[in-house]
Amino acid sequence: MRKVKLFLLAALLSANAIAAMAATGHEIKLTVKEFPNQDIILGYYFNSKMYVRDTVRTDAAGLAIFKDEEALPGGLYLFYLPNGKYFDVLVSDEQHFALRTDTMDLVGNLSISGARESELFLGYQQFIDKQHKNYDRVQKELASAGNDEEAKAKLRAEAEALGNEVADYMNREIAQYPGTFYAKFLKGLQDPDIPDFEVAEGTANPDSVIQAMTYHYYKEHFFDNIDLQDERFLRTPYFAQKLETFIDKLVIQVPDSVVKEGVRLIEMARGNEEMFRFLVQFMFNRANESKIMGMDAAMVAFAEKYYLSGEATWADQEFLDKLETRVREIKPTLIGNKAHEMRMESIEGQIYSLNELNAEITIVAFFEPSCGHCKKEIPKLYREVFEPYRSKGVQVFAVYTLADREEWTNFINEHELYDWINVYDPYHQTHFRDYYDIKSTPTIFILDREKKIIAKKLDVDQMPGFLDYVLSNK
């Protein structure tokens, strides 16, 4: 009897092991009878884009089986069909399930079995599709209602009711299925609730104060409905869009604000390796690719805090070495830094000190006469900026970056650049390239009276407007 019990126990354990093995990885069976012997793509969302995960050819009955020993990372996936249409499916923990649909109505006729959260999401999709159709009908009726104000009022009320029904549906689903990614996904679609702010009686400009309070609350709580410890949000179509909205529309576009809010988000994801990595890369790339003058300070801040500190364990050494070099090159020229001193020689042999120039505004322009852009921009800088603004306290420190005195002299004479300060450093005593990040010419910096950098790499056409602003607000 003991041997029989042991045998049964061993058989039970073996069956459980086989069942566990069968449940690992993923196996998704999709049937679309209209597409026999054709390729169907399984894709996913990531960073506002769609990517291909797998491609499977259907059999004669239109069945495609997407199967692998590796489980799919949770998120929203899509099946892309040969006719160019696609539909979304939420994938969570249950990854052995079947789908069936037809081309008459991909979502309306879609059925799912074997994955509860996927089924729930399908129910949400079908409900939203019905609401959209009703809303479109209402809008068409509104457009044709003409001057019938009573009919239009009823239609507007119906449209509002449709929106309320959607909100109620989502809230019920979120409450009914707590802890599921399905509920998290729906919650992530919602904006944070903003309280009704009040100000003390007698407050000056109360509407403006309330507007400011609302803005700060909304910005502070913008991600309340998204769990930044759950990397599945990365594979949704809306997460990256919310990030872009937050950074571009809610955060003031100055480096300090971008860094402060970026670090706050990144630190909320600390502990989740994938989300942490994504947010670090997102914020760094956003700052690095920004066209806003001075945003390189944010890039430097993110680089030093996360990459050069050793926290970006995913970055290879070649990238880190190049980044360290680039940060070292940029840092001396960040907006707000004092420009590095340069003592250089003029054509007449006189030594000029940048720091000792007595000017409200000093423009430092590095150029090479053989540079095609310099041939156009440097004379233009002289005519359209220096000459009109010299009487307002603007001086130009024009630095020839090479050592060919004859080339330099010919350029000055040809364009009659006599009245500003022409200097060069033929023996490289100032090491100016180490402090001014000159990757191309012309490279131009604008300094205030204390020789702090207030602008850089502006086109000459942009300078008059900038100088007018600075001089009128000094």
Side-chain angles (χ1 to χ4, degrees), residues 125-369:
Q125 287 178 294
Q126 292 173 338
F127 171 76
I128 292 297
D129 187 53
K130 182 189 73 173
Q131 296 297 96
H132 277 164
K133 289 176 180 176
N134 286 330
Y135 186 80
D136 289 343
R137 172 188 55 78
V138 170
Q139 293 304 307
K140 289 178 182 177
E141 291 179 13
L142 265 173
S144 60
N147 297 322
D148 190 340
E149 295 302 326
E150 182 178 353
K152 288 161 71 172
K154 289 181 179 179
L155 289 167
R156 291 191 188 99
E158 185 179 354
E160 183 178 356
L162 289 170
N164 292 334
E165 288 172 10
V166 170
D168 291 342
Y169 181 96
M170 293 175 70
N171 288 331
R172 285 197 306 270
E173 295 290 285
I174 291 168
Q176 189 171 352
Y177 302 102
T180 64
F181 181 59
Y182 165 66
K184 284 187 173 184
F185 182 95
L186 295 189
K187 191 173 181 65
L189 290 169
Q190 299 177 328
D191 275 341
D193 291 328
I194 300 176
D196 293 325
F197 290 106
E198 296 181 358
V199 295
E201 188 174 348
T203 300
N205 301 315
D207 291 342
S208 297
V209 173
I210 290 175
Q211 186 177 23
M213 294 169 71
T214 301
Y215 157 73
H216 287 293
Y217 184 93
Y218 186 64
K219 177 166 67 71
E220 187 71 18
H221 296 272
F222 190 71
F223 286 94
D224 279 5
N225 292 334
I226 293 182
D227 181 4
L228 293 178
Q229 290 291 317
D230 193 334
E231 73 280 358
R232 291 176 293 186
F233 279 105
L234 295 175
R235 286 170 288 279
T236 66
Y238 64 77
F239 179 71
Q241 293 174 1
K242 285 184 74 75
L243 271 177
E244 291 171 0
T245 298
F246 179 74
I247 294 299
D248 294 343
K249 303 292 177 62
L250 296 181
V251 177
I252 299 172
Q253 296 300 291
V254 296
D256 287 349
S257 295
V258 170
V259 171
K260 176 187 173 183
E261 296 299 337
V263 168
R264 180 168 71 90
L265 288 184
I266 291 168
E267 294 305 314
M268 288 168 65
R270 187 178 288 278
N272 184 293
E273 183 178 350
E274 188 175 359
M275 183 67 82
F276 179 80
R277 172 177 177 170
F278 176 84
L279 289 176
V280 169
Q281 292 175 326
F282 180 91
M283 295 307 307
F284 172 82
N285 290 335
R286 200 80 175 169
N288 189 43
E289 296 166 4
S290 175
K291 302 301 182 185
I292 298 174
M293 183 176 62
M295 199 56 72
D296 50 359
M299 185 278 282
V300 168
F302 290 124
E304 291 185 328
K305 183 170 180 62
Y306 295 109
Y307 285 93
L308 302 184
S309 66
E311 289 203 59
T313 54
W314 58 85
D316 62 47
Q317 194 57 49
E318 181 181 0
F319 171 82
L320 292 174
D321 290 343
K322 289 181 178 178
L323 180 59
E324 184 176 19
T325 298
R326 189 71 190 118
V327 166
R328 186 171 60 248
E329 292 170 341
I330 291 175
K331 284 188 76 172
T333 67
L334 296 180
I335 301 294
N337 286 354
K338 185 170 183 177
H340 190 76
E341 166 69 319
M342 291 184 289
R343 296 179 62 84
M344 292 186 168
E345 181 181 341
S346 70
I347 289 179
E348 297 80 14
Q350 184 178 352
I351 300 299
Y352 284 92
S353 163
L354 176 63
N355 283 348
E356 293 175 3
L357 290 183
N358 181 21
E360 288 294 331
I361 300 292
T362 301
I363 299 173
V364 179
F366 298 93
F367 72 95
E368 297 174 9

